[in-house]
Amino acid sequence: MKEKLYINGEWIESNEYADLYSPFSGEKIAEIPQASNEQVDAAIDSAYNNRGIMASLTAFEKAEILENLVILLRKNRLKAAKIISIESAKPIKFSLSEVDRTIETYKFAAEEAKRIHGEMIPLDAAKNGANKLGYTLREPIGVVAAITPFNFPMNLVAHKVGPAIAAGNTVVLKPASQTPLSAFFLAELLEEAGLPKGTVNVVSGSGRIVGDRLVTSEKVSMVTFTGSPEVGIGIKNKAGLKRVALELGSNSGLVIDDGVDLDKIIPKCVVGAFSNQGQVCISLQRIYVHENIFNAFINKFKEETEKLILGNPIEESTDISALISGKDLERAKVWIDEAVEEGGKIITGGQINENILLPTAIANAQAHSKVSCQEVFAPIVTINCIKSIDEGINLINDSRFGLQAGIFTNDIQTAMEASKKLQVGGVMINDVPTYRVDQMPYGGVKESGNAREGLKYTIEEMTEMKLVVWNQM
């Protein structure tokens, strides 16, 4: 299958193509166009020249387009899920879940399109405010460049495209190199949903060409990026004065207090650590367990983990499949071996079965081991013993990341203290840090990002506030 770029409402061939291979089977699944500088510029020009068309749409019209998209996604639910599974090796059960969340995300975007508004300003509260009327408006920011990752190729795209449309912006979307098929499928559905021609453009290719062109273009008003801190910091340094929203990495931690019911929380912990092969920004990577229940937790976690089924992502029974690339598989194994050399003990996993890394739990890994202090993005979790909740909180905070964290406890005061002390963007009480619903404000501190996603909050980022003052003469 030979794909095409989507520019100005037309499907365009490129002079250069790259083969796309299945991460699971290694089979060639598509030929992906590599956009040239001129084609990226054409996509930017398309978005720039059609800003007026998009901005002139009423709230009703924007919501209707998004609702049409929701209907089309529901009709194509299984097809969309299979695309995700084929290009990313995400097990189909999780791909279906992603499609359902994508539908919900665009539904929220449609609803928020009708709730964009400013506010009245009581100017007469000032000494020289008599006979003045003031209010604010929310206006589209313009061209939004969306650069998205491979791990949620439909829903994380929806978190950028959905609010951009709701706010009346135009978009140039650069999908991840391994997962562009989902983005091309979205473009097809948006055409059918009635989106004005040229207002959303999809260009695939290298970050060096496509990404840099988007980030440095004076016609782009905002860059929204999800990916690694290193790339995100580079984008911010190159972007100049344009708005930059970054959702970056993490090594999310969880504290488990004495007295909690392990049988209730273990299944959540296993799913939090290993869903999508651990390739989730808020994947549970570090677990700190009170010493009184440490051994019991280890035994139960090992037992539950070893129930997971490895295999083909298209099989409904599969829980764990291949990582996104052979390079990531090799890296993950090196990090595991390093952690063991530095004193960690493998509780389960640690080996590669054909091209699948077994879900791996490492006890008492050192804080400086890569599996602890860096973003592992693989089915690897560390489990360490702590003497107190404060010790666990301090260990979570001892990180350059701060996306989300969790705590399981039966003590309300302990939960309250944790919510205050944890240096993260989101604290999950009696849940794993992997919890997310799509309308909540999602984002982090430190090197985990500088913005919040969640439809209402993203729309605020994607609009400009204008003040209007009337002198009532």
Side-chain angles (χ1 to χ4, degrees), residues 57-98:
L57 294 180
T58 65
F60 176 86
E61 289 169 330
K62 291 179 291 185
E64 186 174 45
I65 291 166
L66 290 163
E67 289 284 6
N68 289 342
L69 180 59
V70 166
I71 293 168
L72 292 168
L73 279 167
R74 284 178 178 150
K75 287 180 180 177
N76 291 277
R77 178 176 179 263
L78 183 58
K79 180 179 180 181
K82 285 182 176 178
I83 291 172
I84 295 171
S85 291
I86 289 168
E87 67 180 350
S88 72
K90 179 177 290 189
I92 191 70
K93 66 174 71 174
F94 298 119
S95 294
L96 286 165
S97 176
E98 179 178 348

Side-chain angles (χ1 to χ4, degrees), residues 121-124 128-134 469-472:
I121 309 298
L123 295 179
D124 64 354
N128 65 344
N131 297 317
K132 298 289 196 303
L133 174 68
V469 176
W470 291 69
N471 181 7
Q472 301 178 73

Side-chain angles (χ1 to χ4, degrees), residues 131-377:
N131 297 317
K132 298 289 196 303
L133 174 68
Y135 55 87
T136 60
L137 302 173
R138 282 282 179 181
E139 296 184 338
I141 196 169
V143 178
V144 173
I147 305 174
T148 57
F150 73 83
N151 56 333
F152 287 87
M154 283 196 184
N155 196 41
L156 291 184
V157 167
H159 271 282
K160 301 180 188 306
V161 173
I165 292 172
N169 295 307
T170 58
V171 179
V172 181
L173 169 62
K174 182 208 173 299
S177 296
Q178 180 58 43
T179 55
L181 302 181
S182 297
F184 293 133
F185 184 58
L186 169 66
E188 293 175 19
L189 297 185
L190 283 171
E191 268 191 327
E192 194 174 344
L195 188 74
K197 179 178 177 179
T199 54
V200 172
N201 304 266
V202 181
V203 285
S204 51
S206 73
R208 182 178 54 84
I209 294 177
V210 181
D212 284 359
R213 206 81 173 177
L214 292 173
V215 169
T216 57
S217 172
E218 293 183 359
K219 294 180 179 179
V220 171
S221 300
M222 177 179 179
V223 177
T224 171
F225 169 81
T226 299
S228 72
E230 293 74 20
V231 175
I233 291 168
I235 286 172
K236 191 165 179 61
N237 290 338
K238 294 176 184 176
L241 291 178
K242 61 173 63 68
R243 194 168 299 173
V244 177
L246 303 174
E247 197 276 281
L248 307 176
S250 189
N251 58 349
S252 296
L254 172 69
V255 178
I256 299 177
D257 197 4
D258 188 16
V260 300
D261 188 337
L262 293 182
D263 290 331
K264 285 186 177 179
I265 73 168
I266 289 289
K268 281 182 175 288
C269 292
V270 170
V271 171
F274 301 131
S275 62
N276 195 23
Q277 291 80 259
Q279 298 169 132
V280 182
C281 294
I282 42 176
S283 180
L284 175 54
Q285 187 173 324
R286 299 179 292 155
I287 305 177
Y288 300 104
V289 186
H290 194 280
E291 60 184 356
N292 292 348
I293 57 171
F294 181 74
N295 289 332
F297 181 91
I298 288 285
N299 293 334
K300 288 178 180 290
F301 190 91
K302 171 183 169 68
E303 180 183 355
E304 190 71 18
T305 297
E306 291 177 354
K307 294 177 184 177
L308 297 174
I309 297 172
L310 282 61
N312 190 322
I314 297 299
E315 298 291 334
E316 293 182 4
S317 60
T318 297
D319 298 305
I320 301 287
S321 192
L323 287 170
I324 196 66
S325 72
K327 182 180 178 182
D328 285 280
L329 180 64
E330 293 171 8
R331 172 190 57 81
K333 186 63 169 66
V334 168
W335 286 16
I336 291 170
D337 294 342
E338 176 196 76
V340 172
E341 290 172 6
E342 294 174 344
K345 178 185 176 183
I346 293 178
I347 301 303
T348 185
Q351 300 298 318
I352 296 171
N353 184 349
E354 295 182 355
N355 67 331
I356 298 176
L357 177 64
L358 272 61
T360 301
I362 303 172
N364 299 318
Q366 297 297 309
H368 64 266
S369 294
K370 291 186 179 70
V371 294
S372 295
C373 68
Q374 296 192 29
E375 183 176 40
V376 71
F377 236 58

Side-chain angles (χ1 to χ4, degrees), residues 37-48:
N37 286 330
E38 292 75 19
Q39 287 173 321
V40 180
D41 288 344
I44 294 171
D45 287 343
S46 172
Y48 188 81

Side-chain angles (χ1 to χ4, degrees), residues 12-44:
I12 308 294
E13 290 189 356
S14 180
N15 291 329
E16 185 179 346
Y17 283 78
D19 292 337
L20 184 68
Y21 296 94
S22 162
F24 173 72
S25 68
E27 296 176 354
K28 179 178 171 179
I29 53 178
E31 295 178 32
I32 305 303
Q34 305 297 289
S36 64
N37 286 330
E38 292 75 19
Q39 287 173 321
V40 180
D41 288 344
I44 294 171

